[in-house]
Amino acid sequence: MSSEARTMTFSEVPKGRLIIWLVVAGEMVIFGGGIVAYLLYRLNHIEIFDYLARFTSTWMGALNTVVLLTSSFFIVKAHDYAARKELKKMRNAMFVTIGLGGVFLVVKTIEWVPKIKAGLGLNDGSAFWGKVSAAPGHTFWLSYFFLTGMHGAHVILGMITIFIVWLSVRKGQNLHRVEMAGIYWHFVDLVWIFLFPLFYLSR
Amino acid sequence: MSAAAHGHHDLGFFKKYMFSTDHKVIGMQYLITGIIMAFLGGYLAVKFRSQLAFPELALLSGSEYNSSVTMHGLIMVFWVAMPILVAAFGNFLIPTMIGCDDMAYPTLNMISYWLFLVSAFVAIASLLIGGYGGAWTLYPPLSANMAEASGGGAYVIGKVPGLFSGGSLIITAVALEIIAFLIGGLNFLVTTINMRAPGMSIWDLPFVVWMIDLAVVVFMFSVGPLVAGAIMLLFDRTLGTGFFDPNRGGDPILFQHLFWFFGHPEVYVVLFPSMGFVGEAITTFSRKPLFGFKKVIWAAIVASILSFIVWAHHQFIAGIDPHAAVFFTIFTVLISVPFAAMMFSFIATLWKGSIELTSAMLWALGFIITFLFGGVTGIYLGTLTSDVVFHDTYFVVAHFHYTFVPITIFGGMTAIYFWFPKFVGKNFSEFWGKVHFWISFISFNAIFLPMFIPGTAGQHRRIAGYTEATFPAMAVEPYATIRIISTVAFWVLFIAQVIWIIHMIVKFYTGEKAVKNPWKANTLEWTCDSPPPHGNFATYPTVYRGPYEYSVPSRDSDYWPQDEKG
């Protein structure tokens, strides 16, 4: 080996950006496990799952997709405003993002409540869909609650994160943190882009 | 550890030793917690080994036996191997070996340890209320919808066990532990990528840093499905959801996939750091560069990739598709190639070196010999045809312990003896180190080498007692004597560890102060004081060469520190 000093490092990447991408990578594998579990259940009972998927509300799912995509647009705007140091606009854009996250959760609650009341996933749920034998379809609703619930928990976490970042950047310090919050929010958005077709469109 | 030396104000006791953000204190916290849990896991093994040797005494009931075996496995893997090999030495070594003052995120590092400690307490709580007795792999339906009746009763089928049962608590503890290590691991990666000393390219990183980081990467990309699976299992146990209940469309085999997708890479998560320690000790005490340094790292990278497509060799008799089983057999046998390459590199490093048989070196050589047994017997279990025969026998038990004990005890002890002077700052007694090694090495082999014999005869690993009345075919000689030999040897092994811990504690208080570089090694941590002060380095080093420039012919001294100019 030669003895002169070498300077090959990756240090140009800020450590915040690095760790947030690593967090996203780790989270992807966690959601990946859940999604693969759902797909395996579905492959075991294709017809029943196709039938049950009709009982999820496509228009509410579509509405939520639009809401999340719009919120992602606003966090990008916030990042843009942060780069141009337009603090007031940046703060507002972040609040709109949090607000749209809240809208997402409200729609999700409206969607969930009747299903939980019917006992889907826990008992046979025949009050809800009637005709089909309950047993194999059970896992459709379990996966539905599990994956959309886990995603919902990440939406809440993302909203809290953006709020904490809002607190630390509102006076114009640490503006790079907006980008980190944005990367995480995009990830939450992306997970939904996978869940939406899996539960609401494929039937 | 003098905080003042680096211009920091003096911190109170709690700030300095309890809620510390200093990587060395956190490493020591991980190490001590791991050692305490190791004695707990060892104590459980004392219990069930005694039962196995003398079944007619009926020291344990059936469910107590199941619970001790299960908890022994879970504790040793999640609360001993992981914290000692990955977290403790990752914390000690990464910042000091790459020449920086601390981790990239010190507070996150502290949170990682405290979350880990909480998980350890939850695991102990589970043990105190009877533990969980369905084997450490947590397979449903035993783990999902059967409540363990406390006090030695049978399982109650179809009952939702609820959160405050041994099984639910241990699953919660595993999930917390995983999150703790994810947080800690992210920190390791960011630190290594971002905070290296000027001049340190990735090929100047010491072997052990490479190995710990690879372990973190493998962990990060394999553990996700188990997190999902653990949450699903917890819902099954607390809400009665039935993700894994076949009566309601659930799939118990699915959990096996989620578990082993993590479970097999996990073997390499603990193996990599251990190989790193052994590699460091062997190259230092042979006074030779690590043979094929870059190639060995590439071999490890190949092994990490392959580690993701071997998991189903744990499920050959669980009813998976035979075509899939052939696929997994091929890749399982294939993964032994990069590991064989790494072992040959260690042996080639020894070749014509000036070998010093220090305690650390003895443990490293012990690792090579014993792990070889584990690796070779693994071929039989990774191959579909022979696994059908050996599955669930003591052959598996012996094979498993010929991998995990070398990894955790031999590799861990290599690291502890090698870096004790650096991170404790005191010299230990080579004599007692060697006594510890020889007693442990002989007794370890006396436990597990004979175990292959009843294993091939079909002695099943879940049976609490082979008595004349219950299993006449296995209660005969030589199997009964072999069980007694294993048990007595285990008692010796356990006592040897008590001698070791007394030796370490005595030297912590009375040992003479260690010099900066007792082994004349090249890597950056040996340029710090022993123990390194807060902030590690008086002046931050610049790196001029790779970590293994030993016995360079043009030089008078046989080592060439990485930060030495010229």
Side-chain angles (χ1 to χ4, degrees):
Chain A
M1 286 186 197
S2 75
S3 60
E4 79 252 28
R6 279 157 287 177
T7 50
M8 182 190 147
T9 64
F10 298 125
S11 307
E12 312 81 67
V13 186
K15 65 176 186 176
R17 195 185 292 161
L18 201 55
I19 199 167
I20 205 74
W21 278 110
L22 289 171
V23 168
V24 166
E27 291 260 38
M28 271 179 175
V29 189
I30 297 177
F31 275 101
I35 288 174
V36 167
Y38 164 74
L39 291 177
L40 288 176
Y41 287 136
R42 185 149 189 161
L43 285 175
N44 285 343
H45 307 288
I46 293 175
E47 281 94 16
I48 296 167
F49 270 48
D50 284 353
Y51 177 73
L52 292 177
R54 293 184 203 175
F55 293 94
T56 53
S57 167
T58 308
W59 76 264
M60 280 203 230
L63 176 64
N64 261 349
T65 311
V66 174
V67 167
L68 268 194
L69 287 176
T70 317
S71 73
S72 266
F73 170 76
F74 277 98
I75 199 77
V76 171
K77 287 307 279 182
H79 178 214
D80 196 29
Y81 291 135
R84 286 188 269 138
K85 299 236 174 356
E86 297 179 41
L87 295 182
K88 190 161 184 295
K89 284 182 177 170
M90 175 195 77
R91 289 196 298 263
N92 289 341
M94 288 173 84
F95 260 126
V96 172
T97 310
I98 297 175
L100 287 170
V103 172
F104 176 90
L105 290 174
V106 169
V107 174
K108 179 84 5 199
T109 312
I110 296 170
E111 203 189 315
W112 267 32
V113 167
K115 294 192 174 66
I116 291 174
K117 276 189 177 160
L120 293 183
L122 282 179
N123 60 30
D124 66 353
S126 55
F128 195 81
W129 71 79
K131 299 177 193 92
V132 182
S133 153
H138 174 75
T139 45
F140 176 82
W141 295 109
L142 284 182
S143 311
Y144 167 81
F145 283 124
F146 176 59
L147 282 170
T148 58
M150 207 155 79
H151 175 258
H154 280 76
V155 171
I156 296 171
L157 203 66
M159 287 161 68
I160 295 171
T161 310
I162 294 174
F163 182 68
I164 293 171
V165 170
W166 182 89
L167 287 178
S168 75
V169 300
R170 68 199 155 147
K171 298 265 170 65
Q173 299 117 332
N174 302 317
L175 285 172
H176 62 284
R177 289 185 185 171
V178 179
E179 184 196 345
M180 313 311 159
I183 291 172
Y184 188 77
W185 191 256
H186 282 327
F187 163 73
V188 174
D189 195 355
L190 190 71
V191 171
W192 180 255
I193 299 298
F194 277 90
L195 296 186
F196 177 56
L198 284 175
F199 285 103
Y200 298 85
L201 294 181
S202 62
R203 48 183 62 169
Chain B
M1 285 168 211
S2 82
H6 205 66
H8 289 274
H9 60 92
D10 212 6
L11 304 159
F13 173 82
F14 278 96
K15 263 284 199 194
K16 199 166 159 190
Y17 296 114
M18 298 282 288
F19 297 99
S20 172
T21 55
D22 187 302
H23 70 100
K24 296 175 294 292
V25 180
I26 293 171
M28 199 57 85
Q29 288 170 331
Y30 265 119
L31 186 62
I32 290 169
T33 317
I35 289 168
I36 292 170
M37 294 302 275
F39 276 96
L40 182 63
Y43 165 70
L44 291 170
V46 171
K47 276 178 31 176
F48 67 72
R49 263 324 313 176
S50 307
Q51 158 68 24
L52 283 166
F54 309 106
E56 61 281 358
L57 297 180
L59 298 166
L60 298 177
S61 71
S63 62
E64 280 167 355
Y65 171 82
N66 285 340
S67 157
S68 349
V69 174
T70 304
M71 298 305 282
H72 165 80
L74 283 164
I75 286 173
M76 287 302 197
V77 171
F78 288 105
W79 287 279
V80 178
M82 296 279 292
I84 292 181
L85 301 175
V86 185
F89 283 97
N91 265 307
F92 284 142
L93 297 178
I94 288 176
T96 47
M97 280 187 151
I98 67 172
C100 67
D101 55 342
D102 206 330
M103 286 285 174
Y105 290 96
T107 315
L108 212 56
N109 205 11
M110 177 188 78
I111 292 170
S112 159
Y113 172 74
W114 284 94
L115 206 55
F116 168 76
L117 189 67
V118 169
S119 81
F121 280 128
V122 177
I124 292 171
S126 162
L127 190 61
L128 289 178
I129 61 169
Y132 168 68
W136 79 280
T137 49
L138 303 169
Y139 281 0
L142 270 180
S143 62
N145 55 351
M146 292 190 186
E148 310 89 47
S150 58
Y155 280 84
V156 184
I157 297 168
K159 190 175 161 243
V160 177
L163 185 60
F164 291 100
S165 57
S168 304
L169 285 184
I170 199 71
I171 294 166
T172 313
V174 169
L176 284 175
E177 194 262 9
I178 287 169
I179 294 166
F181 279 111
L182 276 174
I183 295 173
L186 294 173
N187 217 343
F188 288 6
L189 290 181
V190 174
T191 308
T192 321
I193 293 174
N194 240 6
M195 299 178 70
R196 297 198 299 277
M200 187 176 240
S201 83
I202 52 168
W203 298 111
D204 297 330
L205 281 177
F207 183 54
V208 63
V209 175
W210 264 103
M211 291 295 110
I212 292 174
D213 282 344
L214 262 184
V216 170
V217 171
V218 171
F219 180 75
M220 215 173 84
F221 286 103
S222 66
V223 82
L226 181 61
V227 174
I231 298 171
M232 286 151 86
L233 202 52
L234 266 183
F235 282 150
D236 272 14
R237 293 181 63 92
T238 52
L239 303 173
T241 45
F243 277 105
F244 303 117
D245 181 0
N247 290 328
R248 289 188 283 165
D251 187 358
I253 302 292
L254 174 65
F255 183 82
Q256 300 190 11
H257 285 293
L258 297 177
F259 182 87
W260 286 115
F261 186 77
F262 160 74
H264 201 81
E266 165 72 6
V267 176
Y268 307 117
V269 171
V270 290
L271 173 60
F272 282 143
S274 208
M275 285 201 135
F277 308 147
V278 170
E280 293 291 329
I282 282 186
T283 173
T284 306
F285 293 124
S286 303
R287 318 306 297 164
K288 272 184 67 192
L290 187 66
F291 183 85
F293 177 54
K294 274 193 193 179
K295 282 95 181 167
V296 171
I297 287 166
W298 280 111
I301 292 170
V302 169
S304 346
I305 296 166
L306 285 176
S307 75
F308 286 93
I309 44 175
V310 298
W311 80 89
H313 63 222
H314 295 273
Q315 297 159 251
F316 281 157
I317 64 152
I320 65 167
D321 182 348
H323 297 95
V326 171
F327 172 90
F328 283 107
T329 296
I330 291 169
F331 282 101
T332 304
V333 176
L334 202 61
I335 201 172
S336 57
V337 175
F339 285 112
M342 292 166 83
M343 297 293 267
F344 278 121
S345 144
F346 293 161
I347 294 167
T349 306
L350 292 169
W351 181 255
K352 291 189 176 173
S354 20
I355 294 170
E356 288 172 65
L357 289 178
T358 57
S359 306
M361 182 63 158
L362 283 177
W363 282 101
L365 296 175
F367 170 90
I368 294 182
I369 295 163
T370 48
F371 189 76
L372 212 58
F373 275 83
V376 169
T377 51
I379 304 284
Y380 296 93
L381 296 171
T383 308
L384 173 60
T385 40
S386 45
D387 182 62
V388 172
V389 181
F390 291 130
H391 187 89
D392 259 346
T393 65
Y394 270 75
F395 192 93
V396 176
V397 177
H399 155 73
F400 178 88
H401 288 87
Y402 260 108
T403 59
F404 257 72
V405 176
I407 289 171
T408 315
I409 309 291
F410 286 73
M413 287 298 172
T414 305
I416 288 171
Y417 280 108
F418 193 69
W419 282 290
F420 186 88
K422 176 52 62 188
F423 290 105
V424 179
K426 302 285 173 66
N427 286 338
F428 59 86
S429 146
E430 283 287 344
F431 172 78
W432 284 106
K434 285 172 187 168
V435 168
H436 176 213
F437 169 76
W438 283 112
I439 299 178
S440 303
F441 182 75
I442 293 166
S443 61
F444 163 71
N445 284 296
I447 302 169
F448 292 108
L449 204 52
M451 224 181 243
F452 285 111
I453 298 164
T456 46
Q459 181 175 303
H460 193 277
R461 62 169 163 167
R462 308 258 182 249
I463 307 291
Y466 281 98
T467 58
E468 203 65 61
T470 49
F471 297 95
M474 290 306 295
V476 295
E477 299 302 335
Y479 310 124
T481 312
I482 285 174
R483 287 193 288 271
I484 293 173
I485 290 173
S486 289
T487 300
V488 173
F490 178 71
W491 292 341
V492 175
L493 180 68
F494 194 76
I495 291 164
Q497 309 319 306
V498 176
I499 295 173
W500 162 73
I501 195 82
I502 292 170
H503 170 205
M504 292 282 125
I505 292 171
V506 167
K507 287 298 171 187
F508 174 76
Y509 286 108
T510 65
E512 57 182 295
K513 197 167 167 13
V515 295
K516 269 190 181 182
N517 194 353
W519 316 126
K520 297 192 169 30
N522 285 344
T523 42
L524 292 178
E525 83 272 28
W526 302 105
T527 63
C528 313
D529 286 335
S530 303
H534 192 67
N536 297 340
F537 297 91
T539 48
Y540 288 100
T542 306
V543 170
Y544 296 97
R545 66 189 58 77
Y548 300 116
E549 303 284 311
Y550 289 107
S551 306
V552 178
S554 61
R555 283 175 56 85
D556 293 336
S557 69
D558 67 349
Y559 68 114
W560 203 357
Q562 282 188 284
D563 66 333
E564 200 176 289
K565 215 169 178 168

